[in-house]
Each structure stands twice: as C-alpha cells, then as structure tokens.
Amino acid sequence: MAVLVDITKCIGCEGCSVACKMYNGLDFKAKPRNIKDGHVELDDNRWTVIQEFHPDDKLRFVKKQCLHCLEPACASACFSKAIQKDEKTGAVVYYPDLCVGCRYCLVACPYSIPKYQWNEQFPQVAKCQMCEARVEKGDAPACVSACTTGALISGDRDELIKKAHEIINSDSRYVNHVYGEHEVGGSQWLYISDVPFEELGFKQVSETPVTSYTKSYMSKVPGFAAAWALFLAGLSFYNHRVEKNKKQDDNKQDKEG
C-alpha cells in the first residue's frame, strides 16, 4: 500500500486530519504543542497536519505525516523492536508494549516525525501508523477515504509512481519530481506538486537510506554490550578480591593483637 498526494488538488479542508483523529482516538480539544513559522507541526496528538504556503502569490496546502520509509531509520535505530516495518502493508508501526523510552527513533528519523508524550505520566512515542488494521484488510487509510478532491490516492506503490510520472509528463505545470520516490531510499507516501518542494517545507534529504549508516553502528551494539558486561564482571571480581584480601588482613591483625 502506498499513497500519492497531489498538492495541486488539496483545498485545505482538514477532512483528513479529522478522519485521522477519529480513527485513532486522538483528542480534538488538545491545543497544538508545536508551532513553527506559523505552521502547526506534528505532535503526539496530531499525526497528520495541513500546512498553508504562499509561494509566488499562490496558495498551496500541504498534508504532512509519517512518510513510512521503505528502509525506516527509526526502526533501524530501535533496539527493542518497538518500531517495525510491516512487510505486507508497508506501514511503519509503533508497538508501545515493546518501547523502553530511549527515544532513539526521534533522533534517527530524517523527517523528525516521531513525537514523545512528554506530558504523560507513562509517555509513549506517537506517530502515524498508516491505519495498518484498515490497510491489512484492503481498505485505504482513514485520511485517504475522507479526501473528497482526489488529492490523496492509495494503491500499489509501483503503479502510483507510474501514474505520478504520467501526470507530470502530461501537464507542464508540475515539477519534474516525485517526492518520496528516492528520498532516503524511498517511502510509501509520494508527492507531486506544481511548486518546488523546498518552497513547501519539504526537507531536502539524500537518496541514500539512513539505515546504511545506522546499521553499521547498531551492528556494534551486541559486541559493545558483551565487552561492557565483561568489563563489569572483571571489575566486580577485582572488587571482590580486594574486599576478601582486606578482610583477611583485618582478621590477621586481630589475631596478632
């Protein structure tokens, strides 16, 4: 499952945001936790947002949410497997029962998507789950189902990429770029636009998957953990020997005294 977003068709109705909150049981009354450059940003209670831009006196609305990378850095950085990519649906899913609260996923994500529930007594990580249960049954994500203008289309990723290029080639308004096709190895969410993406708040990232870096570091974790455990064992043994020798010396002095 993938989703193609045609920015030229979005009217900023927020229907997708409402559908997301309804399906995921998010709080409608919660105030935005993060506003940057006048835009409401994603937070632990907003898994999708609509941001308004005015490039060259045009009005464009841009839907932002987790892009569900083909090779997710957040999952690669998560040693507890609390974030996993479902190979069947393509969704990058967070499992709170496995989370240890290390927040490595927040640091690893090149798009700064995962958010932490700082104000909760038992905080978790929060992000778009791509409505995995719906997708697994063959349904579109809730936000896609709520879109009435055709700005959001779900389907097979390869087919959507083909469709995106057909639209671009048939209409000179569009920028010759499908955002998400190659960025950090590609993602399940794809975008086409008549305005350069850097003018719409999209991060300019490398095509190289972040996992190519994180894997090299994470592969060293078991060895480091083993070395650290060995060091602690050696330190414990040393302290035990010192304590034992000290007691023997004290007993010897008591007998001599």
Side-chain angles (χ1 to χ4, degrees), residues 1-4 65-72 85 90 92 111 130 157-158 160-161 178-191:
M1 172 69 72
V3 179
L4 174 62
Q65 76 296 303
C66 176
L67 274 76
H68 296 273
C69 299
L70 300 185
E71 298 186 44
K85 185 172 181 64
V92 179
Y111 300 111
M130 203 171 170
R157 185 175 186 273
D158 291 338
L160 288 180
I161 290 176
V178 179
Y179 192 95
E181 181 179 6
H182 300 297
E183 277 75 9
V184 290
S187 60
Q188 305 294 135
W189 280 74
L190 309 161
Y191 290 80

Side-chain angles (χ1 to χ4, degrees), residues 198-209:
E198 57 268 23
E199 297 180 25
L200 298 175
F202 284 81
K203 290 192 175 183
Q204 303 305 295
V205 295
S206 168
E207 293 186 0
T208 304

Side-chain angles (χ1 to χ4, degrees), residues 70-121:
L70 300 185
E71 298 186 44
C74 57
S76 177
C78 182
F79 63 86
S80 68
K81 303 300 181 183
I83 298 182
Q84 302 176 30
K85 185 172 181 64
D86 188 300
E87 295 302 327
K88 181 180 178 181
T89 64
V92 179
V93 183
Y94 169 69
Y95 297 95
D97 291 344
L98 299 176
C99 184
V100 298
C102 69
R103 303 188 292 279
Y104 287 169
C105 55
L106 276 68
V107 178
C109 177
Y111 300 111
S112 302
I113 296 296
K115 304 302 177 185
Y116 197 63
Q117 297 176 326
W118 295 101
N119 295 334
E120 298 294 331
Q121 184 176 4

